[in-house]
Amino acid sequence: MIRVGVIGCGVVASYGHLPAIQDTPGLRIESLMDVDVARLIEMQTRFGVDKIFTDLDLFFQSGIDLVVIASPAPVHFDHVQAAARYKKPVLCEKPLAMNEQQAGEMIRAMHQAGLPLYVGFTYRFSPVALEIHRLVRENRIGQVRSLRLCYVWDCHGKYNDRDPTKGLYLRRHERMLEGGPMVDCGVHQIDLARWWTGSEIIRVTGLGAWVEMEGYDAPDHIYLHADHENGCHTQVEISFTYGHTSKDPRCEFWYELIGTEGLIRYNRQQRIFECVSSEGTEKREWTEEKNFHGMYRELEQTLRTGRSGNMPSGSDGLTATRLARLATESAVAWRKQDASI
Ligand SMILES: NC(=O)c1ccc[n+]([C@@H]2O[C@H](COP(=O)([O-])OP(=O)(O)OC[C@H]3O[C@@H](n4cnc5c(N)ncnc54)[C@H](O)[C@@H]3O)[C@@H](O)[C@H]2O)c1
């Protein structure tokens, strides 16, 4: 049995990590750590965990075999460094770090300690993403030449409870300060593009819209364009201002892969997942995009067998974050230039 310790008992831990660890044969939630005592007690009660800590050193000495880092991005660096010192393998949430230097140091520290560092790109493990990976490998749409990946939403809205009288919704505000939608959400799409095509991105740029007009450096609606080594092109569109002040939330999420001999189309709102080729249209089973349970099944197997399978590495995390930041910086730089064509 692998005894798991979780740092950060916030939103993603409560709906994603903790239920999935609890349900995965071979894994057990051993200890929880957070700076917020009320949150710790709430998660301890809900998941029946014995040991809770506000002290990081005591947490690491509590008999754990694996640490899951689900704290906010600015403290991932300290938590991975501590895991390396205490010789614990890590699954760290995205974005891996606040900058490339930190991400590099985190990867080096874990490597020098001889330990694996995985990144929580949970979208890889949805049945849809795995199926797309397989269809691409089987050349079902010929050579993939273009990817259109879109997630426009409001990051739960600008205001608490979507009510302007209740003040700014701080989670969304903090995500905007940490780099905006491409760094927060787009890293998943960038990771999928690299993983599906099996081809590195060699050029990247970004353009953005500041729907809010002011308040943040990063654009709140951004387009990334990337060229892969094999000649394929990826476009990622991500927004945090798609109806962010409206009473009723709206969003659009799709994947489209355009190949020399067909298309793969996935659409959340229309519940479409299909492969379109000269043989006709194959309808596939539609599922949601995230899969924490699938990620933990793979992680357990990886740790047990030593085969890394589809687990995203620290280097995958660094690369996706680097590309997301480059696209965001490029959009900011374009905004500052006089636009004369
Ligand atoms: N993979 C995904 O699909 C996904 C989804 C949401 C969030 N995330 C990522 O997960 C991370 C956490 O996001 P969240 O939405 O749960 O945030 P959150 O703010 O809801 O939760 C973070 C928790 O960490 C705790 N914390 C803060 N500082 C700490 C410290 N120094 N030591 C220990 N605990 C500390 C907070 O008290 C809080 O309980 C972020 O990196 C975010 O980008 C990933």
Side-chain angles (χ1 to χ4, degrees):
M1 185 65 75
I2 298 169
R3 297 162 300 173
V4 187
V6 178
I7 304 180
C9 298
V11 173
V12 76
S14 67
Y15 81 79
H17 295 279
L18 293 169
I21 299 167
Q22 191 174 50
D23 293 345
T24 304
L27 300 182
R28 186 177 78 214
I29 310 170
E30 183 73 16
S31 311
L32 302 177
M33 191 264 157
D34 203 300
V35 288
D36 179 339
V37 177
R39 191 76 195 161
L40 267 179
I41 293 172
E42 191 187 333
M43 292 303 118
Q44 175 181 42
T45 311
R46 200 168 127 198
F47 293 95
V49 182
D50 281 346
K51 305 173 198 164
I52 57 172
F53 300 91
T54 51
D55 182 285
L56 196 61
D57 292 302
L58 294 178
F59 164 80
F60 273 107
Q61 292 159 15
S62 66
I64 56 175
D65 307 308
L66 165 72
V67 59
V68 171
I69 299 175
S71 50
V75 285
H76 289 176
F77 178 78
D78 291 344
H79 292 154
V80 171
Q81 294 290 352
R85 277 198 307 280
Y86 280 101
K87 301 258 181 276
K88 306 293 174 198
V90 170
L91 171 67
C92 182
E93 261 303 348
K94 48 59 42 182
L96 184 58
M98 294 304 286
N99 57 53
E100 192 153 340
Q101 189 200 333
Q102 282 191 347
E105 283 179 39
M106 290 153 80
I107 291 170
R108 256 193 310 284
M110 291 297 286
H111 181 71
Q112 281 166 5
L115 296 163
L117 167 62
Y118 301 112
V119 176
F121 286 137
T122 172
Y123 285 62
R124 276 195 193 193
F125 302 94
S126 102
V128 163
L130 289 163
E131 180 74 349
I132 293 175
H133 192 259
R134 193 178 65 76
L135 291 169
V136 170
R137 293 285 158 304
E138 290 175 357
N139 288 320
R140 293 293 288 280
I141 57 163
Q143 280 179 41
V144 179
R145 303 297 295 157
S146 179
L147 273 67
R148 300 177 66 225
L149 312 177
C150 172
Y151 185 20
V152 290
W153 69 311
D154 59 6
C155 196
H156 307 293
K158 180 169 181 178
Y159 303 111
N160 285 308
D161 301 329
R162 315 188 71 81
D163 178 347
T165 65
K166 291 192 177 171
L168 264 193
Y169 178 54
L170 284 181
R171 272 165 60 78
R172 180 180 175 284
H173 174 66
E174 281 159 12
R175 299 283 148 82
M176 281 304 304
L177 296 176
E178 286 165 17
M182 191 57 72
V183 173
D184 185 49
C185 287
V187 286
H188 286 293
Q189 274 76 1
I190 297 169
D191 178 64
L192 288 174
R194 294 179 61 243
W195 182 58
W196 283 334
T197 61
S199 179
E200 276 306 334
I201 289 170
I202 53 169
R203 262 186 299 278
V204 69
T205 191
L207 282 170
W210 279 257
V211 176
E212 284 216 15
M213 316 255 284
E214 55 193 47
Y216 302 107
D217 288 342
D220 44 35
H221 191 137
I222 176 166
Y223 301 83
L224 167 148
H225 283 275
D227 289 330
H228 293 255
E229 217 165 10
N230 68 358
C232 179
H233 182 86
T234 288
Q235 176 192 294
V236 181
E237 178 185 3
I238 310 275
S239 181
F240 276 177
T241 38
Y242 194 71
H244 70 309
T245 55
S246 20
K247 192 161 184 303
D248 302 315
R250 291 284 180 272
C251 72
E252 289 289 335
F253 187 113
W254 69 73
Y255 304 135
E256 292 185 349
L257 288 81
I258 305 167
T260 51
E261 290 168 46
L263 302 171
I264 297 169
R265 301 171 69 231
Y266 170 87
N267 188 301
R268 179 197 287 177
Q269 284 65 41
Q270 297 171 27
R271 298 283 197 271
I272 292 172
F273 182 31
E274 62 185 16
C275 182
V276 184
S277 71
S278 59
E279 290 167 22
T281 300
E282 266 182 64
K283 296 280 181 203
R284 311 244 147 199
E285 191 184 347
W286 186 94
T287 62
E288 287 183 352
E289 302 99 23
K290 291 191 187 185
N291 186 359
F292 285 89
H293 281 76
M295 179 170 76
Y296 277 99
R297 277 198 300 275
E298 181 94 5
L299 179 57
E300 191 276 333
Q301 200 179 7
T302 298
L303 293 172
R304 190 162 35 80
T305 63
R307 287 196 301 271
S308 62
N310 289 322
M311 283 308 293
S313 65
S315 151
D316 291 325
L318 181 148
T319 304
T321 308
R322 171 199 289 153
L323 294 165
R325 287 200 189 281
L326 282 172
T328 304
E329 284 159 17
S330 143
V332 172
W334 279 114
R335 188 191 199 201
K336 288 183 181 151
Q337 284 188 16
D338 283 339
S340 50
I341 296 174

